[in-house]
Amino acid sequence: MKTETLKTKNGHALNGFSIEDIGDDHLFTSLDTPMKANAFDMPDSEKKERISILFSEIMDVLGLDLTDDSLKGTPDRVAKMYVEEIFSGLDPKNKPKVALFDNKYQYNQMLVEKDITFYSNCEHHFVPIIGKAHVAYISSGKVIGLSKLNRIVQYYAKRPQVQERLTQQIANELKTVLETEDVAVIIDAKHLCVSSRGVKDDTSATVTTYYGGVFNTPEKINELQNYINS
Ligand SMILES: [Zn+2]
Protein backbone atom coordinates (compact mmCIF):
# COMPACT_ATOMS: atom_id res chain seq x y z
CA MET A 1 0.00 0.00 0.00
CA LYS A 2 1.29 3.43 -0.92
CA THR A 3 1.61 5.94 1.89
CA GLU A 4 2.02 9.23 0.07
CA THR A 5 0.83 12.31 1.88
CA LEU A 6 -1.98 13.95 -0.04
CA LYS A 7 -2.63 17.64 0.17
CA THR A 8 -5.83 19.43 -0.66
CA LYS A 9 -5.75 22.54 -2.80
CA ASN A 10 -5.83 24.81 0.24
CA GLY A 11 -2.87 22.99 1.71
CA HIS A 12 -4.52 20.74 4.30
CA ALA A 13 -2.62 17.50 4.47
CA LEU A 14 -4.67 14.33 4.47
CA ASN A 15 -2.12 12.65 6.65
CA GLY A 16 -2.47 8.97 7.18
CA PHE A 17 -4.63 8.32 4.14
CA SER A 18 -3.11 6.36 1.32
CA ILE A 19 -4.14 6.68 -2.32
CA GLU A 20 -6.06 3.42 -1.89
CA ASP A 21 -7.91 4.67 1.20
CA ILE A 22 -8.99 7.74 -0.75
CA GLY A 23 -10.53 5.61 -3.49
CA ASP A 24 -12.06 2.91 -1.33
CA ASP A 25 -13.64 5.32 1.10
CA HIS A 26 -14.51 7.90 -1.56
CA LEU A 27 -12.73 10.71 0.21
CA PHE A 28 -12.07 13.81 -1.79
CA THR A 29 -9.51 16.55 -1.66
CA SER A 30 -11.16 19.68 -3.06
CA LEU A 31 -14.55 21.29 -3.69
CA ASP A 32 -13.40 22.23 -7.15
CA THR A 33 -13.02 19.41 -9.61
CA PRO A 34 -9.24 18.93 -9.73
CA MET A 35 -8.30 20.12 -13.22
CA LYS A 36 -5.04 20.90 -14.98
CA ALA A 37 -4.45 24.56 -15.83
CA ASN A 38 -4.26 23.74 -19.55
CA ALA A 39 -7.29 21.41 -19.50
CA PHE A 40 -8.95 23.00 -22.53
CA ASP A 41 -5.99 23.82 -24.72
CA MET A 42 -6.60 20.66 -26.71
CA PRO A 43 -9.62 20.83 -29.05
CA ASP A 44 -12.40 18.26 -28.52
CA SER A 45 -11.65 16.59 -31.86
CA GLU A 46 -8.09 15.87 -30.75
CA LYS A 47 -9.26 14.68 -27.31
CA LYS A 48 -11.53 12.16 -28.99
CA GLU A 49 -8.75 10.92 -31.26
CA ARG A 50 -6.35 10.45 -28.35
CA ILE A 51 -8.88 8.80 -26.03
CA SER A 52 -9.82 6.40 -28.81
CA ILE A 53 -6.18 5.36 -29.29
CA LEU A 54 -5.63 4.98 -25.53
CA PHE A 55 -8.86 3.07 -25.00
CA SER A 56 -8.06 0.62 -27.79
CA GLU A 57 -4.78 0.02 -25.96
CA ILE A 58 -6.70 -0.87 -22.77
CA MET A 59 -8.89 -3.27 -24.73
CA ASP A 60 -5.86 -4.75 -26.45
CA VAL A 61 -4.04 -5.27 -23.13
CA LEU A 62 -7.16 -7.00 -21.78
CA GLY A 63 -6.78 -9.38 -24.69
CA LEU A 64 -9.80 -8.32 -26.71
CA ASP A 65 -9.71 -8.80 -30.48
CA LEU A 66 -10.12 -5.33 -31.94
CA THR A 67 -10.55 -6.71 -35.45
CA ASP A 68 -13.88 -8.22 -34.37
CA ASP A 69 -16.79 -6.31 -35.95
CA SER A 70 -18.50 -5.90 -32.60
CA LEU A 71 -15.45 -4.37 -30.87
CA LYS A 72 -13.91 -2.41 -33.74
CA GLY A 73 -15.89 0.75 -33.18
CA THR A 74 -15.80 0.68 -29.38
CA PRO A 75 -12.74 2.93 -28.83
CA ASP A 76 -14.27 5.66 -31.01
CA ARG A 77 -17.65 5.26 -29.33
CA VAL A 78 -16.14 5.50 -25.84
CA ALA A 79 -14.09 8.58 -26.81
CA LYS A 80 -17.15 10.32 -28.25
CA MET A 81 -19.25 9.40 -25.20
CA TYR A 82 -16.60 10.67 -22.75
CA VAL A 83 -16.06 14.03 -24.44
CA GLU A 84 -19.56 14.81 -25.74
CA GLU A 85 -21.76 13.17 -23.12
CA ILE A 86 -20.79 11.72 -19.76
CA PHE A 87 -17.82 14.06 -19.07
CA SER A 88 -19.04 17.08 -21.02
CA GLY A 89 -19.64 18.91 -17.73
CA LEU A 90 -15.88 19.34 -17.25
CA ASP A 91 -15.83 22.00 -19.93
CA PRO A 92 -17.11 25.44 -18.89
CA LYS A 93 -18.26 26.08 -22.47
CA ASN A 94 -21.04 23.52 -21.80
CA LYS A 95 -22.29 25.26 -18.69
CA PRO A 96 -25.98 26.14 -19.01
CA LYS A 97 -26.65 29.81 -19.66
CA VAL A 98 -29.15 30.97 -17.11
CA ALA A 99 -31.37 34.01 -17.56
CA LEU A 100 -32.90 35.64 -14.49
CA PHE A 101 -36.46 36.90 -14.51
CA ASP A 102 -38.23 39.22 -12.12
CA ASN A 103 -40.34 37.40 -9.59
CA LYS A 104 -43.55 38.89 -10.99
CA TYR A 105 -45.89 36.77 -8.92
CA GLN A 106 -44.14 37.83 -5.72
CA TYR A 107 -44.00 34.17 -4.79
CA ASN A 108 -41.80 34.21 -1.72
CA GLN A 109 -42.14 30.66 -0.44
CA MET A 110 -39.78 27.86 -1.26
CA LEU A 111 -39.76 26.47 -4.76
CA VAL A 112 -38.86 22.79 -4.88
CA GLU A 113 -37.84 20.91 -8.00
CA LYS A 114 -37.77 17.29 -6.91
CA ASP A 115 -36.78 13.93 -8.37
CA ILE A 116 -34.29 15.23 -10.94
CA THR A 117 -32.79 12.01 -12.24
CA PHE A 118 -29.09 12.21 -13.01
CA TYR A 119 -26.28 9.92 -14.09
CA SER A 120 -22.76 10.66 -12.98
CA ASN A 121 -19.55 8.68 -12.59
CA CYS A 122 -17.42 8.01 -9.54
CA GLU A 123 -14.04 9.68 -9.97
CA HIS A 124 -12.33 6.88 -8.06
CA HIS A 125 -13.55 3.97 -10.18
CA PHE A 126 -15.14 5.55 -13.30
CA VAL A 127 -18.33 3.55 -12.82
CA PRO A 128 -21.83 5.08 -12.66
CA ILE A 129 -23.48 6.98 -9.84
CA ILE A 130 -27.24 7.00 -10.45
CA GLY A 131 -29.49 9.16 -8.39
CA LYS A 132 -32.07 11.79 -7.81
CA ALA A 133 -31.44 15.39 -6.88
CA HIS A 134 -33.96 17.63 -5.15
CA VAL A 135 -33.21 21.33 -5.31
CA ALA A 136 -35.02 24.23 -3.69
CA TYR A 137 -34.68 27.96 -3.38
CA ILE A 138 -36.47 30.98 -2.03
CA SER A 139 -36.45 33.86 -4.46
CA SER A 140 -34.51 36.97 -3.57
CA GLY A 141 -36.59 38.83 -6.17
CA LYS A 142 -35.37 36.89 -9.19
CA VAL A 143 -36.40 33.52 -10.58
CA ILE A 144 -35.00 31.19 -13.22
CA GLY A 145 -36.72 28.80 -15.62
CA LEU A 146 -37.47 25.42 -14.01
CA SER A 147 -35.62 23.54 -16.71
CA LYS A 148 -32.47 25.45 -15.73
CA LEU A 149 -32.48 23.83 -12.29
CA ASN A 150 -32.45 20.50 -14.05
CA ARG A 151 -29.71 21.60 -16.46
CA ILE A 152 -27.47 22.82 -13.65
CA VAL A 153 -27.75 19.41 -11.95
CA GLN A 154 -26.95 17.60 -15.22
CA TYR A 155 -23.96 19.84 -15.97
CA TYR A 156 -22.20 19.10 -12.68
CA ALA A 157 -23.21 15.41 -12.83
CA LYS A 158 -21.44 15.00 -16.16
CA ARG A 159 -18.02 14.89 -14.58
CA PRO A 160 -16.01 12.31 -12.72
CA GLN A 161 -17.51 13.05 -9.31
CA VAL A 162 -17.85 12.40 -5.61
CA GLN A 163 -21.35 12.92 -4.28
CA GLU A 164 -20.41 15.49 -1.63
CA ARG A 165 -18.71 17.67 -4.21
CA LEU A 166 -21.59 17.33 -6.66
CA THR A 167 -23.96 18.53 -3.91
CA GLN A 168 -21.76 21.53 -3.12
CA GLN A 169 -21.12 22.47 -6.74
CA ILE A 170 -24.84 22.51 -7.52
CA ALA A 171 -25.55 24.56 -4.36
CA ASN A 172 -22.79 27.08 -5.16
CA GLU A 173 -24.02 27.51 -8.71
CA LEU A 174 -27.62 28.05 -7.53
CA LYS A 175 -26.45 30.63 -4.98
CA THR A 176 -24.50 32.48 -7.65
CA VAL A 177 -27.18 32.55 -10.35
CA LEU A 178 -30.10 33.20 -7.99
CA GLU A 179 -28.17 35.79 -5.96
CA THR A 180 -29.26 34.26 -2.65
CA GLU A 181 -27.93 32.05 0.13
CA ASP A 182 -31.37 30.46 0.48
CA VAL A 183 -30.87 27.29 -1.52
CA ALA A 184 -31.05 23.62 -0.63
CA VAL A 185 -29.78 20.53 -2.42
CA ILE A 186 -30.48 16.93 -1.46
CA ILE A 187 -28.96 14.07 -3.39
CA ASP A 188 -29.94 10.44 -2.98
CA ALA A 189 -27.78 8.18 -5.10
CA LYS A 190 -26.62 4.68 -5.73
CA HIS A 191 -22.94 4.10 -6.41
CA LEU A 192 -22.25 1.19 -8.71
CA CYS A 193 -18.72 0.98 -7.33
CA VAL A 194 -20.35 -0.03 -4.04
CA SER A 195 -23.02 -2.34 -5.47
CA SER A 196 -21.25 -4.04 -8.38
CA ARG A 197 -17.75 -4.35 -6.92
CA GLY A 198 -15.91 -3.79 -3.63
CA VAL A 199 -18.30 -4.56 -0.75
CA LYS A 200 -21.06 -5.51 -3.27
CA ASP A 201 -23.84 -3.94 -1.25
CA ASP A 202 -26.79 -3.82 -3.59
CA THR A 203 -29.29 -2.01 -1.39
CA SER A 204 -27.47 0.91 0.22
CA ALA A 205 -27.85 4.46 -1.03
CA THR A 206 -25.97 7.62 -0.11
CA VAL A 207 -27.74 10.83 0.87
CA THR A 208 -25.98 14.18 0.95
CA THR A 209 -27.52 17.54 1.76
CA TYR A 210 -26.79 21.24 1.59
CA TYR A 211 -29.03 23.65 3.49
CA GLY A 212 -28.05 27.28 2.94
CA GLY A 213 -29.38 30.48 4.51
CA VAL A 214 -32.92 30.16 5.89
CA PHE A 215 -33.05 26.51 4.85
CA ASN A 216 -30.69 25.70 7.68
CA THR A 217 -33.42 25.58 10.34
CA PRO A 218 -35.30 22.50 11.61
CA GLU A 219 -38.64 23.99 10.44
CA LYS A 220 -37.50 24.63 6.86
CA ILE A 221 -35.73 21.28 6.63
CA ASN A 222 -38.93 19.62 7.81
CA GLU A 223 -41.07 21.55 5.33
CA LEU A 224 -38.71 20.66 2.49
CA GLN A 225 -38.65 16.98 3.46
CA ASN A 226 -42.45 16.96 3.45
CA TYR A 227 -42.56 18.28 -0.12
CA ILE A 228 -39.98 15.77 -1.26
CA ASN A 229 -41.82 12.87 0.34
CA SER A 230 -45.26 13.98 -0.85
ZN1 LIG B 1 -16.07 4.58 -6.57
Side-chain angles (χ1 to χ4, degrees):
M1 193 183 276
K2 289 178 218 154
T3 51
E4 294 163 54
T5 301
L6 295 183
K7 278 201 164 72
T8 61
K9 276 211 173 127
N10 50 17
H12 298 302
L14 290 171
N15 277 321
F17 291 111
S18 70
I19 294 282
E20 282 168 33
D21 290 335
I22 300 269
D24 286 346
D25 289 333
H26 295 96
L27 305 171
F28 68 109
T29 52
S30 161
L31 272 186
D32 293 324
T33 301
M35 300 290 288
K36 301 190 298 177
N38 61 352
F40 304 104
D41 289 358
M42 191 188 288
D44 284 357
S45 54
E46 197 181 330
K47 284 186 183 179
K48 283 184 269 185
E49 268 170 45
R50 294 214 41 206
I51 292 169
S52 177
I53 292 164
L54 295 165
F55 201 80
S56 52
E57 191 128 336
I58 290 174
M59 292 175 70
D60 183 65
V61 171
L62 288 170
L64 292 162
D65 177 7
L66 280 151
T67 64
D68 185 276
D69 277 346
S70 177
L71 299 179
K72 228 189 263 184
T74 302
D76 277 350
R77 278 190 289 267
V78 170
K80 192 166 184 272
M81 176 181 74
Y82 275 14
V83 174
E84 292 179 10
E85 297 175 291
I86 66 175
F87 300 133
S88 59
L90 288 172
D91 192 335
K93 79 171 185 294
N94 296 323
K95 193 163 159 173
K97 316 261 177 300
V98 177
L100 281 178
F101 301 98
D102 288 325
N103 184 7
K104 288 206 182 99
Y105 307 109
Q106 300 297 315
Y107 179 74
N108 56 7
Q109 299 300 309
M110 69 171 75
L111 183 148
V112 185
E113 184 74 0
K114 67 177 191 175
D115 294 331
I116 301 172
T117 301
F118 71 85
Y119 296 88
S120 189
N121 282 273
C122 160
E123 73 177 20
H124 300 118
H125 299 95
F126 272 52
V127 294
I129 301 171
I130 303 166
K132 287 199 188 302
H134 315 289
V135 301
Y137 73 95
I138 296 170
S139 172
S140 65
K142 300 283 181 188
V143 293
I144 58 174
L146 290 181
S147 70
K148 298 296 182 190
L149 296 172
N150 200 306
R151 282 183 207 285
I152 288 168
V153 170
Q154 306 304 344
Y155 172 71
Y156 288 100
K158 286 185 165 53
R159 297 175 171 194
Q161 272 292 12
V162 284
Q163 190 173 326
E164 295 91 327
R165 186 200 293 128
L166 175 61
T167 309
Q168 283 277 352
Q169 288 181 335
I170 294 166
N172 287 346
E173 183 66 14
L174 291 173
K175 288 198 285 185
T176 306
V177 298
L178 289 161
E179 299 169 4
T180 178
E181 290 294 310
D182 303 334
V183 308
V185 180
I186 299 172
I187 293 183
D188 185 347
K190 201 170 173 53
H191 294 239
L192 262 60
C193 50
V194 177
S195 54
S196 71
R197 53 158 301 286
V199 295
K200 291 195 173 146
D201 183 331
D202 203 27
T203 52
S204 68
T206 306
V207 178
T208 46
T209 57
Y210 178 92
Y211 299 118
V214 299
F215 278 100
N216 201 14
T217 60
E219 298 76 40
K220 282 285 177 220
I221 290 172
N222 211 359
E223 188 185 340
L224 178 57
Q225 287 292 352
N226 285 339
Y227 292 132
I228 290 168
N229 297 331
S230 69

